[in-house]
Amino acid sequence: MPHVLIVTAHPSSKGFTHRIAAAFKEGAEAAGKTVEIVDLYKTDLQMGFLSFEERADMGTPNPVREKHQAKVTAADELVFVHPMWWMAPPAIMKNYLDNVYAGRFAFRYKMGSPIPEGLLKGKRGHVFITSDGPMWIYTLFALPFRIIWNTFVFRFCGVKPTTLKVLDKKLFRTEPEMLKFLDKVKRIAGRKY
């Protein structure tokens, strides 16, 4: 049975990201998948900011990081849901990536090659982003953001990028428009691969 790991990053329980995560969970479970949601602001597996002096120190055992990595290992689909602030995810999401998707877990360099080998092959990645700004701003300026998720997070780690959806102008959307977006999320979650 396929397993889905959803990681959310919004400090308010009223944030629309939580509704997106719940919709993805509903659609995935209806398709026979198992789902776990990790809310980075509420999890008991909180991580401090990545800190080290020597590169070798990055491999120092860290029980919290290892528990998060075990969740990633168990997942067939990785789903990230967050708002876009300053053209980036909240700092807690970046910190999660810095800590959890570490070298020798998510990727490794082979001697003589500047291109890493992704170690999370066979997984699919989805990203859902909310923003209050209009889509044309993100079309012009967020291309690097799409490249970061699809190339430098997913492909870098061997994950197949599957979905990257932005719900723009969220502040100005009607409830029927929000529900239409959530229906789209459920359909995506229910896909069989």
Side-chain angles (χ1 to χ4, degrees):
M1 179 179 303
H3 183 63
V4 178
L5 175 64
I6 302 172
V7 180
T8 66
H10 197 292
S12 170
S13 62
K14 297 175 185 171
F16 192 66
T17 56
H18 299 295
R19 288 179 69 187
I20 293 171
F24 199 100
K25 182 177 192 277
E26 183 182 333
E29 288 178 341
K33 302 174 187 180
T34 60
V35 180
E36 179 179 8
I37 297 176
V38 173
D39 180 341
L40 293 178
Y41 284 94
K42 302 216 172 18
T43 181
D44 57 345
L45 298 176
Q46 291 291 326
M47 290 177 289
F49 285 104
L50 182 64
S51 174
F52 62 90
E53 281 298 319
E54 301 294 331
R55 189 179 182 116
D57 295 342
M58 292 174 72
T60 302
N62 178 318
V64 173
R65 179 180 62 226
E66 290 163 8
K67 286 177 183 174
H68 278 291
Q69 288 175 337
K71 294 174 185 297
V72 172
T73 299
D76 300 291
E77 293 181 64
L78 303 168
V79 182
F80 297 90
V81 189
H82 64 81
M84 187 180 298
W85 295 339
W86 303 110
M87 296 305 257
I92 199 167
M93 179 69 81
K94 178 68 167 72
N95 188 56
Y96 169 82
L97 293 171
D98 288 346
N99 276 284
V100 176
Y101 287 74
R104 296 181 297 281
F105 169 72
F107 66 92
R108 72 174 163 227
Y109 287 101
K110 292 184 176 179
M111 191 59 93
S113 175
I115 308 298
E117 174 189 9
L119 301 177
L120 300 179
K121 291 181 176 76
K123 300 181 189 303
R124 295 185 178 270
H126 308 272
V127 180
F128 297 92
I129 302 165
T130 62
S131 68
D132 291 332
M135 186 59 79
W136 68 266
I137 288 177
Y138 304 112
T139 302
L140 287 176
F141 301 110
L143 181 58
F145 188 71
R146 288 179 178 272
I147 290 170
I148 287 167
W149 269 113
N150 288 341
T151 302
F152 296 111
V153 175
F154 289 149
R155 286 196 175 104
F156 200 90
C157 298
V159 176
K160 181 177 173 136
T162 306
T163 309
L164 199 154
K165 298 282 182 200
V166 178
L167 176 67
D168 70 329
K169 299 182 279 190
K170 183 185 65 61
L171 190 63
F172 310 101
R173 298 268 184 180
T174 64
E175 184 61 16
E177 289 174 316
M178 305 285 248
L179 292 173
K180 185 176 177 183
F181 185 83
L182 294 176
D183 284 340
K184 185 186 297 184
V185 170
K186 288 178 197 174
R187 284 194 305 276
I188 291 168
R191 291 180 188 153
K192 299 204 187 297
Y193 298 102

